[in-house]
Amino acid sequence: MPTLPEFHVRDNKQPDYRGKDMRAGFSLDFWVQLESLKDAQGILDSRNNTGKGILVELTQAGTMRITINDGRQESSWDCDPGVLHPGKLQHIGINVDAGPKIITFVVDGILCDGGDCRQFGWGRFSPTIRAPNGGDTLKVAGCVRTLRLYTRALRTSETVGNFRAGYPGT
């Protein structure tokens, strides 16, 4: 598991040592073929024994959720319901942008915008969360066909471009 960038650090140059926003982020970009949406299951997991790290999992509601944990606090967000389909090869892009503190999902080249179930397709996370670096290894479920981890937040258009480039195995 590569080291993810720090989102928020102590600013030792300030007299009060206030926090400094690093405006960093990361993105996960992968192709997955899910067998079923009925059972909650882990897809990607870099957490250590204290829970620090990232977890991408299926939820009981049939959505995919990312949870980031820096050892002090935790934030999560899931994709829109109804965009995942069992048995189908699908492209998933998860962008965690610590500039605006927003998590977005892009599924098969379409930005999850909340649909009919919520007002927004993005979720905010705590402005004081630090890097969600956990264990040294990333556990990857067998349903993941390819995986790219970027140590910066991709733009939505870059994620769409990765989908349009197609599955590299064909």
Side-chain angles (χ1 to χ4, degrees):
M1 176 71 186
T3 301
L4 298 174
E6 291 285 339
F7 296 171
H8 191 264
V9 297
R10 182 168 307 281
D11 191 349
N12 294 324
K13 294 181 180 179
Q14 297 297 322
D16 62 356
Y17 300 105
R18 70 181 72 129
K20 181 177 181 181
D21 185 352
M22 302 305 289
R23 303 192 64 78
F26 69 92
S27 291
L28 299 168
D29 185 275
F30 54 98
W31 288 87
V32 65
Q33 190 165 4
L34 303 167
E35 296 291 323
S36 168
L37 300 179
K38 295 184 190 224
D39 298 323
Q41 54 186 296
I43 306 295
L44 304 169
D45 189 351
S46 74
R47 296 174 299 168
N48 62 18
N49 58 357
T50 65
K52 184 178 177 185
I54 61 171
L55 172 66
V56 177
E57 64 184 336
L58 291 179
T59 67
Q60 294 289 346
T63 62
M64 189 174 290
R65 172 182 297 136
I66 183 169
T67 302
I68 58 175
N69 183 316
D70 70 352
R72 299 177 313 128
Q73 53 190 322
E74 183 173 278
S75 293
S76 64
W77 190 252
D78 57 337
C79 71
D80 293 347
V83 298
L84 300 177
H85 306 286
K88 179 183 175 192
L89 183 65
Q90 291 190 273
H91 179 261
I92 310 291
I94 305 172
N95 298 316
V96 180
D97 191 341
K101 316 299 182 273
I102 290 176
I103 300 171
T104 58
F105 275 81
V106 178
V107 178
D108 291 338
I110 299 171
L111 176 67
C112 290
D113 64 2
D116 295 332
C117 67
R118 55 188 174 201
Q119 185 177 6
F120 306 110
W122 46 266
R124 287 207 184 268
F125 58 91
S126 171
T128 58
I129 199 165
R130 297 177 182 166
N133 289 308
D136 293 333
T137 59
L138 176 66
K139 297 175 194 99
V140 181
C143 60
V144 176
R145 301 296 181 242
T146 66
L147 170 65
R148 290 183 221 152
L149 192 149
Y150 296 87
T151 55
R152 68 175 180 89
L154 293 180
R155 294 176 179 93
T156 300
S157 61
E158 291 175 302
T159 307
V160 171
N162 285 347
F163 165 71
R164 289 185 178 171
Y167 176 64
T170 58

